[in-house]
Amino acid sequence: MHIHQLVTRLAWGDAIGNQVRYLQSLLRSWGHTSEIYADSWDDACKEQVRPAKSYPREATRDSVLLVHHSFESRQVPLIARSRGRKLLVYHNITPARLFEGYDRGAALSCDTARVELLALRPHVDGAFAYSRFSAEELVAAGYPRVDVLPFAIDWNAFDTPPDPSLMAELDDGCSNILFVGRAVPSKYVDDVLRVFTAYQRLYQPRSRLLIAGNIHRDAPYGSFLHGLKDLLGPERIQFLGRVNAAQLSACFASATAYLSMSRHEGFGVPLLEAMYRDVPVVAYGAAAVPETMGGAGLTTFSREPMDVAQLLAVLERDSSLRQQVLAAQRARVAALSQQAVATQVRNTLLRWLGARDAGPAATPSEAPAIELVCPGFTSRPDAPMSRLARELHRRLPDSRILALRGRGEEPVLSLGPRTSEGASVWHFTPDQPVGPAPEPLPGSSSLETAVRASSGKVVLLGTDSGVSQALLGAVGRRGWGVRDAATVTDEAATEAARHHLGPRLLELDRSDLDAVANTLVQGLSSKRGARHARR
């Protein structure tokens, strides 16, 4: 069988690039013909790749194409005109909001990638994701068949001996805290700097921070990181830039702990790499991070530097806890053994390729006339916006409430409906943990995608929330919004809501919720009536 792969860019050291190349080796070892197609690549991969533009000519009706999607690709037309079956492999897309203020181009590309995610839907026979967190968004996007594909890691690639000169430099008695990844805003390397500063000043003066990964000093975020380093003033922070395999091995071999404060991961390979190399992990529990950690390491739901620094200190000082953490991490790695996961990947692919209707069906999304977006409906049930959502749902029977899952609830492929006090509620996993009131509610890629995929009217209950701000530009004239002046502290969020919604932005009167409900019901009903009249 011919099973090929399509990716936007193939690069050495990139998590997606490494996965694509490893999958190719697995497919070939199973007897399949397998090529990698890409629009661009780096020199290290040039012998392993073919130009994407050649695929439509080379594909046959018996070909299978695994389409890897994580960023703007502009490949939808190419995919649409190519013969054969196509399966989407979704690595997740970083929310555009995480690039705002630093990289407008990247933010726009992330938004475009989510538009492409919806555009790809009619051209693929099925969709895979490497975590339930990512799979949930595929269900929200309306993909009819979704499965979670085990992330196959080539553990042997981590066995490169450490670079001796770097090892000698780092093995000087300091406690080395390590982060591996590109220095981009979504990784929140600035929070890593803040945590390390607190750790060095409060607990371990003889400590060093190692940041291994591309950093563009002339780019806004890179410049910000260097400025923050100077402002905070800790000693021994090393931006190593892009490192080779031997240098990376030296970083891990000398590390006391691995620290991640990333706000968004569709999986998170470096977390498992640290576990494999027996380095205890401390990670902020955003997106798919808790799922990847699998109960191992230390997952924190706090972003406060002193809280996280204390975890690093306890790991260093309490040898019993450290050994418990390392034992749990070894068990996590053992559960993802190379042969076992490769077999799971093969069986999952064969199940899909053996029949067009193979694979578990995802819960089909309903198509209500009105989407009531109330992120805090479940976590803050007594809040004015939650009470307004219940009243609107009671008066608008063709509506549903879209809300965030509470802290600790795992992503599932059944989004709803769940009945709460007679209301039909669909729940979505937030990109970051939901904190207690009055902390701002986080965004949710899957909830936002569900609204983008819907054709119904949209009511944004709380226009200052992360979800609402992300949707303002997408809902257009079908959107309404309600603003609570008593809780809004971000005037820029208010101005954005006014710009996009105009007269459809209403002010909440906490003493008279019925007044706002009446206005919304009348406005939504009249527009629906006008729509039906035109038909």
Side-chain angles (χ1 to χ4, degrees), residues 334-408:
L336 298 172
S337 69
Q338 195 148 332
Q339 185 57 50
V341 171
T343 300
Q344 291 177 51
V345 170
R346 184 181 186 185
N347 291 341
T348 302
L349 285 175
L350 288 178
R351 184 173 72 247
W352 278 82
L353 298 174
R356 291 187 177 273
D357 60 351
T363 304
S365 298
E366 296 177 355
I370 301 172
E371 307 280 12
L372 302 175
V373 179
C374 185
F377 185 83
T378 300
S379 60
R380 300 169 188 179
D382 297 324
M385 290 298 177
S386 299
R387 290 188 279 121
L388 178 58
R390 280 192 288 271
E391 179 62 19
L392 288 171
H393 183 65
R394 185 183 67 81
R395 299 195 197 185
L396 300 167
D398 52 353
S399 66
R400 67 173 178 177
I401 297 172
L402 281 64
L404 299 179
R405 299 188 196 282
R407 177 178 291 186

Side-chain angles (χ1 to χ4, degrees), residues 12 38 45 78 108 117 251 256 312 337 345 367 387 397 399 497 516 521:
W12 182 91
C45 301
L78 180 149
L108 292 173
L117 181 65
C251 290
T256 306
L312 293 173
S337 69
V345 170
R387 290 188 279 121
S399 66
V516 179
V521 170

